[in-house]
Amino acid sequence: MTSDDIEVVRQLVHARSGVVIDPGKAYPIETRLAPVARREGFESLADLVQAIRIHRNDRLIWAVVEALTVGETSFFRDGAPFEHFRDEILPVLAGTRRERTIRVWSAACSTGQEPYSLAMILDDERSKLQGARIELFGSDLSEWALEKAQSGVYNQFEVQRGLPIRLLVRHFDKIDEMWRLSPRIRQMVRWRRINLLADLRALGQFDVIFCRNALSTFDAATRQRVLEQLARALPDDGWLVLGLDETVVGVTDALRPAPGRRGVYRPNPAHRAAAA
Amino acid sequence: MKTCLVVDDSRVIRKVARRILEILGFETAEAADGVEAMAWCRTSMPEAILLDWNMPAMDGLEFLKQLRREPAGHQPVVLFCTVENDLEHITEALEAGADEYIMKPFDGDIVCAKFTQAGLIA
């Protein structure tokens, strides 16, 4: 790809998703776009970019944006945030949300390993949840990722990254060389295509939002806007769980770190009072 | 430093595993089948054992069953590492006392993830 072509693609991706692509990384851009070009019947990546320039075809543009924004993920990624969810967040919610449904959102979940990890925890902990009603949502920008997530089918490499073998045995069936999650776990998650750049107010409130390793792909202004939208979607005593290397500090004061919990944030009451 | 005994009849696999384990900070030892591995364990019980299934002399499952009957044989964390990748084999291994299970082919990421799950590395 020429540097002009790469610039066209970078600008499209940024405008549609807020994701900033490193212009120095031509190789991964080409690797990810090659299947799109093939699928759409173009002879080369240059032809694909040319078609976008001329026709501005929305479906084609989204195919390109999606291919370049699918995030890396794995079951129980980084371990600790999931232990925190199980051992500290869930017991509090079970105690304080007796009257209403507990809502948990795994945002920018790529191919679904994160919401399914949460679903397996909820399944394991069911007896301790005192009959609490829980809704679990998974969302991503990419239709392709969501389709894969919804299928609940993973390859041998994917089920060996982060998933303890006993959970594989308990929750998966082997179909040829692939592994499929049980209908019980799959049915616990509801899927939706959500662009975090869009207005999120219609989604309502969530007690817990996992949004891990997406913010770090955004530019600073987008990061602030998305964080403030997520903060608004939380009740005063809600939780936001970010990637281990992501922070709200220096980005927005709508949230503040949960003491001693790396990557965990709570709404900042002072900011709420000022905004009210 | 923790020791991991690599039990596999393939010299190539042992070498690949050893290189990965050394990067993860383990001292490594090698055995080509269950009999050799048992002799090793009776001399000095390792903290971890990476165990192939199909081997001459004594296979991995038989070794594991014998190991768990040894004094101090409950101590090592045992991770199967085998081409056997169906639920029957995995279940049989867990029932015999395996702690984790790696399906070949494997790479450094998988070994690291599995050793972390088994509590061998932080």
Side-chain angles (χ1 to χ4, degrees):
Chain A
M1 285 171 91
T2 65
S3 56
D4 275 3
D5 285 350
I6 288 177
E7 201 43 40
V8 169
V9 167
R10 286 186 70 230
Q11 283 178 13
L12 271 181
V13 170
H14 183 249
R16 300 282 173 131
S17 72
V19 171
V20 179
I21 295 176
D22 180 349
K25 292 186 177 165
Y27 173 74
I29 297 176
E30 289 172 357
T31 319
R32 286 188 166 199
L33 286 187
V36 178
R38 246 193 329 271
R39 197 171 66 223
E40 302 290 336
F42 294 100
E43 299 267 320
S44 68
L45 289 178
D47 289 354
L48 170 70
V49 176
Q50 186 62 12
I52 286 174
R53 269 192 176 128
I54 295 169
H55 303 298
R56 292 270 147 192
N57 174 323
D58 219 45
R59 195 187 55 78
L60 196 55
I61 289 173
W62 274 114
V64 167
V65 173
E66 287 190 5
L68 292 170
T69 54
V70 171
E72 267 267 304
T73 186
S74 60
F75 289 102
F76 298 97
R77 182 173 182 177
D78 302 321
F82 295 91
E83 288 166 24
H84 184 66
F85 176 75
R86 182 192 62 204
D87 299 337
E88 294 177 42
I89 295 178
L90 267 188
V92 170
L93 287 176
T96 55
R97 302 290 195 274
R98 285 160 191 277
E99 303 305 314
R100 58 175 188 79
T101 304
I102 297 168
R103 299 181 86 220
V104 180
W105 176 20
S106 168
C109 73
S110 190
T111 44
Q113 283 92 328
E114 181 176 278
Y116 283 139
S117 300
L118 297 170
M120 285 185 268
I121 291 173
L122 292 171
D123 187 68
D124 265 4
E125 301 289 306
R126 197 164 296 266
S127 64
K128 296 183 209 153
L129 293 174
Q130 304 152 16
R133 276 175 307 144
I134 299 175
E135 286 178 353
L136 182 51
F137 298 86
S139 79
D140 198 80
L141 177 67
S142 160
E143 291 282 2
W144 171 86
L146 283 176
E147 269 171 38
K148 177 170 157 98
Q150 208 154 3
S151 76
V153 177
Y154 297 94
N155 65 31
Q156 184 165 298
F157 183 74
E158 290 164 328
V159 298
Q160 298 207 84
R161 285 189 64 194
L163 186 69
I165 196 68
R166 283 181 177 76
L167 290 184
L168 181 78
V169 172
R170 193 179 312 153
H171 296 301
F172 286 77
D173 278 318
K174 188 157 182 250
I175 296 169
D176 299 323
E177 289 307 304
M178 302 294 276
W179 293 87
R180 189 175 65 193
L181 256 169
S182 69
R184 193 174 80 240
I185 298 296
R186 274 187 286 143
Q187 283 158 9
M188 290 171 71
V189 185
R190 298 180 200 180
W191 305 97
R192 229 194 249 183
R193 180 174 182 279
I194 292 172
N195 187 342
L196 294 175
L197 295 195
D199 187 337
L200 304 178
R201 276 173 298 190
L203 298 174
Q205 294 252 299
F206 297 92
D207 300 293
V208 188
I209 301 174
F210 273 63
C211 182
R212 309 189 63 228
N213 309 300
L215 291 164
S216 47
T217 66
F218 296 150
D219 63 277
T222 305
R223 204 174 297 157
Q224 178 183 3
R225 196 150 57 87
V226 171
L227 275 174
E228 287 175 1
Q229 287 219 76
L230 295 178
R232 269 199 299 275
L234 292 170
D236 291 344
D237 59 351
W239 285 267
L240 173 65
V241 183
L242 301 180
L244 291 185
D245 298 320
E246 295 172 326
T247 183
V248 307
V249 177
V251 184
T252 173
D253 60 0
L255 296 144
R256 54 182 189 179
R261 299 288 163 210
R262 194 167 152 208
V264 182
Y265 298 87
R266 323 270 328 241
N268 181 358
H271 182 271
R272 292 215 156 170
Chain B
M1 199 183 247
K2 286 178 179 168
T3 300
C4 181
L5 176 63
V6 179
V7 190
D8 200 303
D9 58 340
S10 155
R11 207 157 50 87
V12 175
I13 297 277
R14 290 203 304 272
K15 202 168 146 192
V16 171
R18 201 176 68 196
R19 205 171 295 147
I20 293 171
L21 289 166
E22 280 169 359
I23 291 169
L24 295 176
F26 283 84
E27 193 104 58
T28 58
E30 297 180 24
D33 58 46
V35 175
E36 263 185 45
M38 190 55 75
W40 214 97
C41 288
R42 282 179 179 146
T43 315
S44 161
M45 216 40 106
E47 277 85 7
I49 300 175
L50 194 64
L51 181 63
D52 187 18
W53 194 301
N54 301 303
M55 292 177 292
M58 188 196 293
D59 73 14
L61 188 70
E62 184 52 36
F63 163 78
L64 176 59
K65 288 178 179 167
Q66 282 197 25
L67 173 77
R68 293 308 194 203
R69 287 195 295 265
E70 291 283 307
H74 62 282
Q75 283 173 2
V77 173
V78 176
L79 303 93
F80 259 101
C81 184
T82 166
V83 291
E84 302 296 348
N85 63 0
D86 55 86
L87 279 171
E88 290 72 27
H89 275 90
I90 299 172
T91 307
E92 200 177 2
L94 291 174
E95 280 168 3
D99 297 286
E100 259 299 340
Y101 198 104
I102 296 170
M103 297 174 268
K104 288 176 181 168
F106 61 95
D107 62 9
D109 280 355
I110 289 175
V111 173
C112 181
K114 289 288 182 179
F115 270 63
T116 307
Q117 257 143 44
L120 287 161
I121 44 181

